[in-house]
Amino acid sequence: MKFIRTTFGALALFAVLATGCAAGDKGTATPGGVEIVRMERKFVNNYLLLGERVVLVDTGVPGNEKRVLRALARRGKKPSDVALIVVTHGHADHAGSGAALREATGAPIAGGVGDAAMNRAGHNDRLQPTGAPGRRVMPFVVQEYPGYAPDIEVADTLDLRPYGVAGKVIVVPGHTSGSLAVVLDDGRALGGDLVRGRFGARTKPVLHYFHADVDAAHRHLQRMIDSGVREINPGHGHTLKADAVRRFLDEWLSDQSPGDRPWP
């Protein structure tokens, strides 16, 4: 029965990845704060942060640039209103339209220093599945994209205030060696691929299909929640509340043998 459920889930995800899904832009904001606009296509998210200016977080797969520009236009924004493009990591589903969107907007790209070589090569690093679901979807993952050199290689915290958004970019290696996350001053965050929403139940946190270092990814996720982050907007899925993420981490930690636990 478990094999049937996981196989069905993998086939359903393949159907979305292969054919696309109905996609709409959804925005959330706190009073007087930054509006987060999620753009979802084929179970992959990228985001607009609308503050005094616009920060784009992740760019989607190759060819996604027109959709991002349409989303800007629907909110009365011009390409030149984009002050910064943050790429949370160098995989093709997040960095794939980076070169095209930099050209269209004139905005610099910020990426993790640990993923800069991947960005330049325009090819995923070796994906490391975290379990059977990852092994099943791996043949369908986009691997290549037009490479580029990041304008800003983030090795520590990057303040977003000069780009018109009250928040910061932090370094969270684990999914990849150069993974980044965005933490807004109001406690909302964009977590890249530290965790994902479950396919079919997108507000339920689950283990991501791939991690270079799962312990490191979850350790950084725990630190974000402990620091006061109240929700995480992931690269795949919908908004994940802090309590749900904490439960997910507690359950994952309880499954580890005492000697293998990355934190007490």
Side-chain angles (χ1 to χ4, degrees), residues 73-154:
R74 281 194 291 273
R75 283 161 175 79
K77 304 295 184 181
K78 304 183 298 295
S80 59
D81 291 329
V82 178
L84 181 68
I85 301 168
V86 177
V87 175
T88 62
H89 59 285
H91 290 163
D93 55 340
H94 294 258
S97 290
L101 282 164
R102 178 168 62 184
E103 182 177 357
T105 64
I109 297 177
V113 65
D115 283 5
M118 200 186 328
N119 294 142
R120 291 184 175 91
H123 196 288
N124 293 354
D125 58 2
R126 182 176 176 273
L127 297 176
Q128 300 182 48
T130 56
R135 288 190 292 272
R136 278 190 278 272
V137 304
M138 190 155 59
F140 313 118
V141 172
V142 177
Q143 297 279 358
E144 297 182 349
Y145 59 96
Y148 59 85
D151 302 284
I152 303 169
E153 294 186 8
V154 182

Side-chain angles (χ1 to χ4, degrees), residues 3-261:
F3 172 79
I4 293 173
R5 286 197 301 268
T6 56
T7 300
F8 175 78
L11 290 172
L13 178 57
F14 167 67
V16 171
L17 294 174
T19 64
C21 62
D25 306 335
K26 184 176 181 180
T28 60
T30 54
V34 176
E35 182 181 5
I36 300 177
V37 179
R38 184 183 70 245
M39 296 169 285
E40 182 176 14
R41 180 187 180 199
K42 299 184 179 181
F43 198 49
V44 178
N45 298 328
N46 54 302
Y47 295 89
L48 298 174
L49 302 181
L50 306 181
E52 293 177 4
R53 294 192 69 190
V54 179
V55 171
L56 171 65
V57 180
D58 286 332
T59 66
V61 297
N64 193 54
E65 63 274 8
K66 291 182 180 178
R67 187 166 180 277
V68 173
L69 297 175
R70 288 197 298 268
L72 284 168
R74 281 194 291 273
R75 283 161 175 79
K77 304 295 184 181
K78 304 183 298 295
S80 59
D81 291 329
V82 178
L84 181 68
I85 301 168
V86 177
V87 175
T88 62
H89 59 285
H91 290 163
D93 55 340
H94 294 258
S97 290
L101 282 164
R102 178 168 62 184
E103 182 177 357
T105 64
I109 297 177
V113 65
D115 283 5
M118 200 186 328
N119 294 142
R120 291 184 175 91
H123 196 288
N124 293 354
D125 58 2
R126 182 176 176 273
L127 297 176
Q128 300 182 48
T130 56
R135 288 190 292 272
R136 278 190 278 272
V137 304
M138 190 155 59
F140 313 118
V141 172
V142 177
Q143 297 279 358
E144 297 182 349
Y145 59 96
Y148 59 85
D151 302 284
I152 303 169
E153 294 186 8
V154 182
D156 200 348
T157 302
L158 174 67
D159 188 0
L160 291 178
R161 287 174 183 80
Y163 303 98
V165 167
K168 61 186 177 182
V169 177
I170 62 173
V171 178
V172 290
H175 181 66
T176 64
S177 61
S179 287
L180 304 175
V182 175
V183 180
L184 300 179
D185 287 357
D186 63 11
R188 294 175 298 163
L190 295 88
D193 279 359
L194 287 177
V195 66
R196 67 179 177 90
R198 181 177 180 178
F199 186 73
R202 299 187 182 193
T203 59
K204 179 178 174 60
V206 293
L207 179 65
H208 198 280
Y209 296 110
F210 311 103
H211 280 313
D213 184 338
V214 64
D215 289 351
H218 288 175
R219 186 165 54 247
H220 284 292
L221 191 60
Q222 182 73 54
R223 288 173 181 169
M224 288 172 66
I225 297 301
D226 290 344
S227 73
V229 166
R230 57 187 175 86
E231 69 177 43
I232 292 178
N233 295 274
H236 309 272
H238 292 178
T239 302
L240 309 173
K241 297 300 184 182
D243 288 346
V245 174
R246 193 180 296 278
R247 285 193 298 272
F248 157 71
L249 289 170
D250 288 346
E251 292 169 2
W252 176 81
L253 195 61
S254 69
D255 288 338
Q256 312 304 306
S257 61
D260 292 335
R261 293 178 180 177

